[in-house]
Amino acid sequence: MNRTGLFIALGLCLVVGLTFGLHPELDLKLAALFYDPATKSFPLKSDALAAFARDAAMWICWAFVLPSIVALLVKLIWPNRKLLVPGRTVMFLLVTIILAAGILTNLTFKSHWGRPRPVMVSEFSGPWQFKAWWDPTGECGRNCSFFSGEGATAFWTFAPAALTPPAWRPVAYVAAAAFGAVTSGLRMAFGGHFFTDVAIAGLVTFLVIWLIHGYIYRWPSTRLTDEGIDAELTKLAWPSYAWRRRLLGGRRPSKPSFVDRITEQHHD
């Protein structure tokens, strides 16, 4: 997650945006590679193995973030316990996947950018007019084509790759890029997205990861610590934890922890 990666991502954004903005028909030509005019369909969409690969790709992504979700839930339930996963890891992985694969895609662009999916445009036997990536005035009302949520989720694997040991990090980045490209290729083959949908999803996701990684790990003015995040989560969860214990009859452990004693003194 250095400046070289940032410059490469920004350069690709410029190239892809301008090329497909000036020549939007390229999106149609690439989508046509997966379309069968005889059956008027995208045949791979009905392939069971391809469908399983699509689902498996999402399972793999969520497998990377699941330990952080579990660690956060355990911490919120038992705030006197130390996080099971380093605090910065929990924050970095959860914030990036929520932003990239959730807020920016499904809650923002896909809900308000009316670009139809390939299966819905007239060039591929659909009812609607094709729109370039930059044009939000399409007829799609919800869950639209731009940009790809699954593509963003697949390319989100750059986040766990950024946390691998330095010696393995280049290999992890290549693996994340390949994983994102293959998963995005499947979405194109199913007629679910155009090339620009998945390409821009990957680039936006990388930029989100680069910024959040800098905020948490690299920039001196904002750099966080595992201990600091753990302490903040303890303070966040403790009021509900103390209330829950009182609701259950005020039962206390036979040997209260140091944090228990300090917190109870504070509340008393």
Side-chain angles (χ1 to χ4, degrees):
M1 288 291 140
N2 53 29
R3 290 185 180 180
T4 301
L6 174 64
F7 293 150
I8 291 174
L10 292 175
L12 287 174
C13 283
L14 184 63
V15 170
V16 171
L18 286 177
T19 301
F20 286 80
L22 295 172
H23 303 284
E25 71 278 2
L26 292 176
D27 257 335
L28 289 170
K29 290 181 179 179
L30 290 174
L33 297 176
F34 304 101
Y35 180 73
D36 181 10
T39 60
K40 296 183 178 181
S41 68
F42 290 84
L44 203 59
K45 186 178 182 180
S46 303
D47 186 274
L49 183 59
F52 174 79
R54 173 192 177 184
D55 292 337
M58 296 299 99
W59 298 339
I60 291 171
C61 294
W62 287 104
F64 279 117
V65 78
L66 182 60
S68 293
I69 295 175
V70 172
L72 179 61
L73 291 175
V74 170
K75 182 66 177 178
L76 294 178
I77 295 171
W78 293 289
N80 57 321
R81 296 187 179 185
K82 185 178 180 180
L83 274 167
L84 302 175
V85 175
R88 288 182 297 178
T89 299
V90 172
M91 184 174 180
F92 176 60
L93 295 184
L94 292 182
V95 168
T96 51
I97 198 167
I98 289 171
L99 282 177
I103 294 174
L104 289 177
T105 51
N106 294 298
L107 296 181
T108 304
F109 280 92
K110 286 170 67 66
S111 298
H112 303 284
W113 207 271
R115 186 187 202 190
R117 296 173 182 269
V119 293
M120 299 305 296
V121 301
S122 58
E123 288 82 356
F124 303 121
S125 304
W128 294 337
Q129 182 182 1
F130 166 76
K131 295 292 181 179
W133 72 264
W134 48 264
D135 188 349
T137 63
E139 296 167 273
C140 176
R142 56 182 295 273
N143 194 25
C144 304
S145 192
F146 187 81
F147 49 85
S148 170
E150 289 184 33
T153 305
F155 281 110
W156 170 85
T157 52
F158 275 113
L163 302 181
T164 56
W168 289 95
R169 205 164 294 162
V171 176
Y173 285 149
V174 171
F179 179 75
V182 171
T183 303
S184 297
L186 280 175
R187 296 303 293 131
M188 291 179 62
F190 291 164
H193 286 288
F194 292 104
F195 174 79
T196 45
D197 298 328
V198 296
I200 293 175
L203 293 169
V204 169
T205 298
F206 180 85
L207 293 174
V208 168
I209 292 169
W210 191 91
L211 289 170
I212 301 301
H213 187 274
Y215 183 92
I216 295 175
Y217 288 96
R218 297 193 313 273
W219 303 334
S221 60
T222 61
R223 188 181 299 148
L224 304 178
T225 64
D226 295 330
E227 295 77 14
I229 293 174
D230 196 306
E232 290 300 318
L233 288 174
T234 298
K235 290 190 290 185
L236 174 68
W238 198 268
S240 65
Y241 179 66
W243 177 85
R244 187 168 63 252
R245 288 198 314 167
R246 293 190 181 97
L247 183 66
L248 294 174
R251 292 192 297 270
R252 299 180 181 180
S254 56
K255 292 183 178 181
S257 69
F258 173 77
V259 178
D260 283 327
R261 295 196 299 271
I262 295 299
T263 304
E264 287 168 6
Q265 291 171 9
H266 172 73
H267 283 289
D268 292 340

